[in-house]
Amino acid sequence: LDRRLKQIGNFKSIIDISKDFEDYLYKYIRTKHCYIPLSDDEEVPSTIVTVGCFSGQTISGLARKVVAYSLFNSSLSRETIVQFTYNTIMNTTDLTTKQILLKNILLIGGNTLYPGFVERFTKDMKQLVQQEQTQSKLDSHLLEVGIIAPQDRIDQIWKGASLWGSIWC
């Protein structure tokens, strides 16, 4: 996502700054000003972000150019994160495993913290499952989607790794 943000706004072309400060700017914009729209049709307003430099100068650039949205837009990447998750689950062999996996999708990590991420992921996943049920003529209650998004999902990766490590040590 940082690479996508750097393609959108090139701060180095505006002002001579160090790589560390440039990285800080991208992280600041990504964490404070980007969000994921609920649908492809939703217009995403651009916001001017002004960040003060130590020299007293300010840098203004466009934010909310939907950097995180590239996770959900197949025209910007080969496969969306929802399509990847769905295809991984549906490529399992038996129906029982598919049902268990679909009911227990766990969203963790930093990218899931973008405003709108959980809502958009849930909406798109339910839409894909509904299409599958219609095409396969399955009972509508056979495949249900359950999304788990804990409040502290940024820390869940470390907690899981710690637990996994303690089991095997």
Side-chain angles (χ1 to χ4, degrees):
L1 296 180
D2 283 343
R3 192 172 353 121
R4 177 81 176 121
L5 183 58
K6 287 177 182 180
Q7 290 171 350
I8 291 168
N10 183 0
F11 287 113
K12 282 196 173 233
S13 67
I14 299 170
I15 189 171
D16 186 29
I17 57 175
S18 71
K19 173 147 178 36
D20 290 340
F21 188 66
E22 182 184 31
D23 291 343
Y24 164 78
L25 287 174
Y26 290 122
K27 183 178 179 183
Y28 174 79
I29 290 170
R30 188 186 71 230
T31 57
K32 301 290 184 193
H33 296 283
C34 292
Y35 81 104
I36 297 171
L38 193 54
S39 71
D40 292 340
D41 301 330
E42 184 179 331
E43 190 172 321
V44 180
S46 291
T47 304
I48 299 295
V49 177
T50 303
V51 180
C53 298
F54 296 113
S55 63
Q57 296 174 299
T58 59
I59 299 172
S60 296
L62 287 176
R64 289 194 168 193
K65 281 281 197 173
V66 201
V67 175
Y69 183 54
S70 60
L71 292 168
F72 292 90
N73 188 330
S74 59
S75 68
L76 299 175
S77 59
R78 256 188 352 194
E79 188 175 47
T80 70
I81 193 167
V82 179
Q83 290 168 331
F84 177 79
T85 306
Y86 174 80
N87 290 338
T88 301
I89 292 171
M90 296 312 278
N91 285 333
T92 59
T93 54
D94 63 298
L95 183 60
T96 305
T97 304
K98 290 176 188 177
Q99 289 173 321
I100 292 169
L101 291 173
L102 278 172
K103 284 184 183 178
N104 295 288
I105 298 172
L106 178 62
L107 299 179
I108 58 173
N111 289 336
T112 66
L113 296 174
Y114 282 113
F117 185 97
V118 175
E119 294 82 2
R120 179 66 188 262
F121 190 96
T122 303
K123 177 184 155 279
D124 288 1
M125 182 60 74
K126 286 182 177 181
Q127 194 172 39
L128 286 173
V129 169
Q130 187 177 29
Q131 288 172 0
E132 174 71 23
Q133 289 172 329
T134 303
Q135 290 173 356
S136 302
K137 297 181 181 164
L138 295 171
D139 181 19
S140 62
H141 299 291
L142 198 56
L143 297 175
E144 295 178 6
V145 176
I147 305 292
I148 304 161
Q151 286 296 108
D152 62 340
R153 49 189 182 267
I154 190 84
D155 299 328
Q156 292 296 316
I157 295 168
W158 300 107
K159 290 177 182 175
S162 173
L163 179 64
W164 185 258
S166 68
I167 292 172
W168 292 102
C169 292

PDB file of all heavy atoms in Angstrom, residues 38 72 82 107 116-128 145-149:
ATOM      1  N   LEU A  38     -17.665   1.998   0.873  1.00  0.00           N
ATOM      2  CA  LEU A  38     -18.491   0.800   0.989  1.00  0.00           C
ATOM      3  C   LEU A  38     -18.816   0.179  -0.371  1.00  0.00           C
ATOM      4  O   LEU A  38     -19.037  -1.012  -0.473  1.00  0.00           O
ATOM      5  CB  LEU A  38     -19.780   1.127   1.745  1.00  0.00           C
ATOM      6  CG  LEU A  38     -20.607  -0.045   2.223  1.00  0.00           C
ATOM      7  CD1 LEU A  38     -19.779  -1.015   3.071  1.00  0.00           C
ATOM      8  CD2 LEU A  38     -21.802   0.422   3.022  1.00  0.00           C
ATOM      9  N   PHE A  72      -9.581  -3.720  -2.652  1.00  0.00           N
ATOM     10  CA  PHE A  72     -10.937  -4.112  -3.010  1.00  0.00           C
ATOM     11  C   PHE A  72     -11.288  -3.852  -4.466  1.00  0.00           C
ATOM     12  O   PHE A  72     -12.398  -4.107  -4.883  1.00  0.00           O
ATOM     13  CB  PHE A  72     -11.944  -3.363  -2.128  1.00  0.00           C
ATOM     14  CG  PHE A  72     -11.888  -3.788  -0.693  1.00  0.00           C
ATOM     15  CD1 PHE A  72     -11.055  -3.154   0.207  1.00  0.00           C
ATOM     16  CD2 PHE A  72     -12.656  -4.848  -0.250  1.00  0.00           C
ATOM     17  CE1 PHE A  72     -10.991  -3.556   1.519  1.00  0.00           C
ATOM     18  CE2 PHE A  72     -12.602  -5.258   1.066  1.00  0.00           C
ATOM     19  CZ  PHE A  72     -11.767  -4.618   1.955  1.00  0.00           C
ATOM     20  N   VAL A  82     -10.879  -9.892  -0.963  1.00  0.00           N
ATOM     21  CA  VAL A  82     -12.088 -10.681  -0.713  1.00  0.00           C
ATOM     22  C   VAL A  82     -12.147 -11.866  -1.670  1.00  0.00           C
ATOM     23  O   VAL A  82     -12.444 -12.993  -1.254  1.00  0.00           O
ATOM     24  CB  VAL A  82     -13.362  -9.806  -0.829  1.00  0.00           C
ATOM     25  CG1 VAL A  82     -14.615 -10.629  -0.604  1.00  0.00           C
ATOM     26  CG2 VAL A  82     -13.306  -8.649   0.140  1.00  0.00           C
ATOM     27  N   LEU A 107     -10.447 -11.202  10.762  1.00  0.00           N
ATOM     28  CA  LEU A 107      -9.737 -10.066  10.183  1.00  0.00           C
ATOM     29  C   LEU A 107      -8.802  -9.481  11.233  1.00  0.00           C
ATOM     30  O   LEU A 107      -9.261  -8.967  12.256  1.00  0.00           O
ATOM     31  CB  LEU A 107     -10.729  -8.998   9.704  1.00  0.00           C
ATOM     32  CG  LEU A 107     -11.713  -9.428   8.626  1.00  0.00           C
ATOM     33  CD1 LEU A 107     -12.639  -8.279   8.265  1.00  0.00           C
ATOM     34  CD2 LEU A 107     -10.985  -9.934   7.386  1.00  0.00           C
ATOM     35  N   GLY A 116     -13.865   1.586   7.316  1.00  0.00           N
ATOM     36  CA  GLY A 116     -14.647   0.990   6.237  1.00  0.00           C
ATOM     37  C   GLY A 116     -14.173  -0.384   5.790  1.00  0.00           C
ATOM     38  O   GLY A 116     -14.854  -1.049   5.016  1.00  0.00           O
ATOM     39  N   PHE A 117     -13.012  -0.842   6.264  1.00  0.00           N
ATOM     40  CA  PHE A 117     -12.471  -2.127   5.813  1.00  0.00           C
ATOM     41  C   PHE A 117     -13.391  -3.283   6.163  1.00  0.00           C
ATOM     42  O   PHE A 117     -13.763  -4.087   5.298  1.00  0.00           O
ATOM     43  CB  PHE A 117     -11.077  -2.377   6.406  1.00  0.00           C
ATOM     44  CG  PHE A 117     -10.425  -3.629   5.878  1.00  0.00           C
ATOM     45  CD1 PHE A 117      -9.530  -3.553   4.834  1.00  0.00           C
ATOM     46  CD2 PHE A 117     -10.710  -4.880   6.414  1.00  0.00           C
ATOM     47  CE1 PHE A 117      -8.931  -4.704   4.326  1.00  0.00           C
ATOM     48  CE2 PHE A 117     -10.127  -6.026   5.925  1.00  0.00           C
ATOM     49  CZ  PHE A 117      -9.233  -5.936   4.874  1.00  0.00           C
ATOM     50  N   VAL A 118     -13.766  -3.400   7.428  1.00  0.00           N
ATOM     51  CA  VAL A 118     -14.584  -4.535   7.886  1.00  0.00           C
ATOM     52  C   VAL A 118     -15.932  -4.539   7.179  1.00  0.00           C
ATOM     53  O   VAL A 118     -16.404  -5.581   6.715  1.00  0.00           O
ATOM     54  CB  VAL A 118     -14.759  -4.504   9.420  1.00  0.00           C
ATOM     55  CG1 VAL A 118     -15.709  -5.591   9.886  1.00  0.00           C
ATOM     56  CG2 VAL A 118     -13.417  -4.641  10.122  1.00  0.00           C
ATOM     57  N   GLU A 119     -16.543  -3.366   7.066  1.00  0.00           N
ATOM     58  CA  GLU A 119     -17.857  -3.262   6.425  1.00  0.00           C
ATOM     59  C   GLU A 119     -17.782  -3.673   4.958  1.00  0.00           C
ATOM     60  O   GLU A 119     -18.622  -4.409   4.456  1.00  0.00           O
ATOM     61  CB  GLU A 119     -18.416  -1.840   6.551  1.00  0.00           C
ATOM     62  CG  GLU A 119     -18.728  -1.418   7.974  1.00  0.00           C
ATOM     63  CD  GLU A 119     -17.503  -0.925   8.756  1.00  0.00           C
ATOM     64  OE1 GLU A 119     -16.379  -0.862   8.192  1.00  0.00           O
ATOM     65  OE2 GLU A 119     -17.673  -0.632   9.951  1.00  0.00           O
ATOM     66  N   ARG A 120     -16.755  -3.185   4.262  1.00  0.00           N
ATOM     67  CA  ARG A 120     -16.611  -3.508   2.838  1.00  0.00           C
ATOM     68  C   ARG A 120     -16.275  -4.981   2.647  1.00  0.00           C
ATOM     69  O   ARG A 120     -16.823  -5.651   1.762  1.00  0.00           O
ATOM     70  CB  ARG A 120     -15.515  -2.623   2.216  1.00  0.00           C
ATOM     71  CG  ARG A 120     -15.270  -2.882   0.737  1.00  0.00           C
ATOM     72  CD  ARG A 120     -16.489  -2.497  -0.105  1.00  0.00           C
ATOM     73  NE  ARG A 120     -16.347  -2.914  -1.470  1.00  0.00           N
ATOM     74  CZ  ARG A 120     -15.938  -2.123  -2.463  1.00  0.00           C
ATOM     75  NH1 ARG A 120     -15.644  -0.868  -2.209  1.00  0.00           N
ATOM     76  NH2 ARG A 120     -15.838  -2.580  -3.673  1.00  0.00           N
ATOM     77  N   PHE A 121     -15.397  -5.531   3.458  1.00  0.00           N
ATOM     78  CA  PHE A 121     -15.035  -6.942   3.366  1.00  0.00           C
ATOM     79  C   PHE A 121     -16.282  -7.806   3.581  1.00  0.00           C
ATOM     80  O   PHE A 121     -16.538  -8.738   2.816  1.00  0.00           O
ATOM     81  CB  PHE A 121     -13.962  -7.291   4.399  1.00  0.00           C
ATOM     82  CG  PHE A 121     -13.377  -8.656   4.200  1.00  0.00           C
ATOM     83  CD1 PHE A 121     -12.186  -8.814   3.501  1.00  0.00           C
ATOM     84  CD2 PHE A 121     -14.006  -9.787   4.699  1.00  0.00           C
ATOM     85  CE1 PHE A 121     -11.644 -10.073   3.306  1.00  0.00           C
ATOM     86  CE2 PHE A 121     -13.472 -11.047   4.501  1.00  0.00           C
ATOM     87  CZ  PHE A 121     -12.289 -11.189   3.804  1.00  0.00           C
ATOM     88  N   THR A 122     -17.056  -7.494   4.608  1.00  0.00           N
ATOM     89  CA  THR A 122     -18.265  -8.258   4.919  1.00  0.00           C
ATOM     90  C   THR A 122     -19.256  -8.196   3.770  1.00  0.00           C
ATOM     91  O   THR A 122     -19.797  -9.218   3.340  1.00  0.00           O
ATOM     92  CB  THR A 122     -18.919  -7.718   6.216  1.00  0.00           C
ATOM     93  OG1 THR A 122     -17.959  -7.779   7.272  1.00  0.00           O
ATOM     94  CG2 THR A 122     -20.148  -8.512   6.584  1.00  0.00           C
ATOM     95  N   LYS A 123     -19.498  -6.997   3.265  1.00  0.00           N
ATOM     96  CA  LYS A 123     -20.459  -6.805   2.168  1.00  0.00           C
ATOM     97  C   LYS A 123     -20.042  -7.598   0.926  1.00  0.00           C
ATOM     98  O   LYS A 123     -20.841  -8.321   0.342  1.00  0.00           O
ATOM     99  CB  LYS A 123     -20.569  -5.316   1.831  1.00  0.00           C
ATOM    100  CG  LYS A 123     -21.467  -4.999   0.671  1.00  0.00           C
ATOM    101  CD  LYS A 123     -21.405  -3.498   0.374  1.00  0.00           C
ATOM    102  CE  LYS A 123     -21.756  -3.191  -1.028  1.00  0.00           C
ATOM    103  NZ  LYS A 123     -20.713  -3.370  -2.011  1.00  0.00           N
ATOM    104  N   ASP A 124     -18.762  -7.469   0.536  1.00  0.00           N
ATOM    105  CA  ASP A 124     -18.291  -8.155  -0.664  1.00  0.00           C
ATOM    106  C   ASP A 124     -18.278  -9.672  -0.509  1.00  0.00           C
ATOM    107  O   ASP A 124     -18.605 -10.404  -1.441  1.00  0.00           O
ATOM    108  CB  ASP A 124     -16.895  -7.660  -1.043  1.00  0.00           C
ATOM    109  CG  ASP A 124     -16.890  -6.245  -1.606  1.00  0.00           C
ATOM    110  OD1 ASP A 124     -17.974  -5.624  -1.699  1.00  0.00           O
ATOM    111  OD2 ASP A 124     -15.791  -5.745  -1.930  1.00  0.00           O
ATOM    112  N   MET A 125     -17.903 -10.148   0.680  1.00  0.00           N
ATOM    113  CA  MET A 125     -17.882 -11.599   0.918  1.00  0.00           C
ATOM    114  C   MET A 125     -19.307 -12.170   0.855  1.00  0.00           C
ATOM    115  O   MET A 125     -19.538 -13.211   0.235  1.00  0.00           O
ATOM    116  CB  MET A 125     -17.225 -11.926   2.261  1.00  0.00           C
ATOM    117  CG  MET A 125     -17.120 -13.414   2.541  1.00  0.00           C
ATOM    118  SD  MET A 125     -16.147 -14.344   1.338  1.00  0.00           S
ATOM    119  CE  MET A 125     -14.494 -13.850   1.779  1.00  0.00           C
ATOM    120  N   LYS A 126     -20.245 -11.500   1.488  1.00  0.00           N
ATOM    121  CA  LYS A 126     -21.637 -11.978   1.453  1.00  0.00           C
ATOM    122  C   LYS A 126     -22.175 -11.977   0.027  1.00  0.00           C
ATOM    123  O   LYS A 126     -22.926 -12.876  -0.359  1.00  0.00           O
ATOM    124  CB  LYS A 126     -22.511 -11.122   2.367  1.00  0.00           C
ATOM    125  CG  LYS A 126     -22.288 -11.419   3.833  1.00  0.00           C
ATOM    126  CD  LYS A 126     -23.192 -10.612   4.726  1.00  0.00           C
ATOM    127  CE  LYS A 126     -22.982 -11.001   6.187  1.00  0.00           C
ATOM    128  NZ  LYS A 126     -23.860 -10.268   7.096  1.00  0.00           N
ATOM    129  N   GLN A 127     -21.770 -10.996  -0.752  1.00  0.00           N
ATOM    130  CA  GLN A 127     -22.206 -10.920  -2.146  1.00  0.00           C
ATOM    131  C   GLN A 127     -21.656 -12.101  -2.959  1.00  0.00           C
ATOM    132  O   GLN A 127     -22.382 -12.716  -3.739  1.00  0.00           O
ATOM    133  CB  GLN A 127     -21.733  -9.595  -2.737  1.00  0.00           C
ATOM    134  CG  GLN A 127     -22.365  -9.220  -4.034  1.00  0.00           C
ATOM    135  CD  GLN A 127     -21.964  -7.807  -4.435  1.00  0.00           C
ATOM    136  OE1 GLN A 127     -20.814  -7.401  -4.243  1.00  0.00           O
ATOM    137  NE2 GLN A 127     -22.907  -7.078  -4.977  1.00  0.00           N
ATOM    138  N   LEU A 128     -20.387 -12.446  -2.761  1.00  0.00           N
ATOM    139  CA  LEU A 128     -19.798 -13.587  -3.464  1.00  0.00           C
ATOM    140  C   LEU A 128     -20.465 -14.905  -3.061  1.00  0.00           C
ATOM    141  O   LEU A 128     -20.736 -15.758  -3.909  1.00  0.00           O
ATOM    142  CB  LEU A 128     -18.296 -13.669  -3.191  1.00  0.00           C
ATOM    143  CG  LEU A 128     -17.415 -12.643  -3.901  1.00  0.00           C
ATOM    144  CD1 LEU A 128     -15.983 -12.720  -3.402  1.00  0.00           C
ATOM    145  CD2 LEU A 128     -17.469 -12.844  -5.407  1.00  0.00           C
ATOM    146  N   VAL A 145     -21.872 -16.405   6.161  1.00  0.00           N
ATOM    147  CA  VAL A 145     -20.617 -15.697   6.378  1.00  0.00           C
ATOM    148  C   VAL A 145     -20.585 -15.153   7.798  1.00  0.00           C
ATOM    149  O   VAL A 145     -21.547 -14.531   8.254  1.00  0.00           O
ATOM    150  CB  VAL A 145     -20.469 -14.532   5.370  1.00  0.00           C
ATOM    151  CG1 VAL A 145     -19.213 -13.724   5.653  1.00  0.00           C
ATOM    152  CG2 VAL A 145     -20.461 -15.061   3.947  1.00  0.00           C
ATOM    153  N   GLY A 146     -19.475 -15.374   8.477  1.00  0.00           N
ATOM    154  CA  GLY A 146     -19.257 -14.816   9.803  1.00  0.00           C
ATOM    155  C   GLY A 146     -17.906 -14.126   9.840  1.00  0.00           C
ATOM    156  O   GLY A 146     -16.876 -14.745   9.599  1.00  0.00           O
ATOM    157  N   ILE A 147     -17.914 -12.826  10.100  1.00  0.00           N
ATOM    158  CA  ILE A 147     -16.676 -12.051  10.138  1.00  0.00           C
ATOM    159  C   ILE A 147     -16.358 -11.713  11.589  1.00  0.00           C
ATOM    160  O   ILE A 147     -17.196 -11.176  12.305  1.00  0.00           O
ATOM    161  CB  ILE A 147     -16.802 -10.750   9.319  1.00  0.00           C
ATOM    162  CG1 ILE A 147     -17.237 -11.036   7.877  1.00  0.00           C
ATOM    163  CG2 ILE A 147     -15.514  -9.935   9.376  1.00  0.00           C
ATOM    164  CD1 ILE A 147     -16.223 -11.765   7.037  1.00  0.00           C
ATOM    165  N   ILE A 148     -15.141 -12.005  11.996  1.00  0.00           N
ATOM    166  CA  ILE A 148     -14.678 -11.682  13.347  1.00  0.00           C
ATOM    167  C   ILE A 148     -13.599 -10.612  13.202  1.00  0.00           C
ATOM    168  O   ILE A 148     -12.599 -10.824  12.516  1.00  0.00           O
ATOM    169  CB  ILE A 148     -14.103 -12.933  14.040  1.00  0.00           C
ATOM    170  CG1 ILE A 148     -15.149 -14.055  14.061  1.00  0.00           C
ATOM    171  CG2 ILE A 148     -13.605 -12.592  15.440  1.00  0.00           C
ATOM    172  CD1 ILE A 148     -14.575 -15.435  14.297  1.00  0.00           C
ATOM    173  N   ALA A 149     -13.832  -9.456  13.825  1.00  0.00           N
ATOM    174  CA  ALA A 149     -12.870  -8.351  13.756  1.00  0.00           C
ATOM    175  C   ALA A 149     -12.691  -7.782  15.160  1.00  0.00           C
ATOM    176  O   ALA A 149     -13.375  -6.842  15.553  1.00  0.00           O
ATOM    177  CB  ALA A 149     -13.366  -7.280  12.792  1.00  0.00           C
TER     178      ALA A 149
END
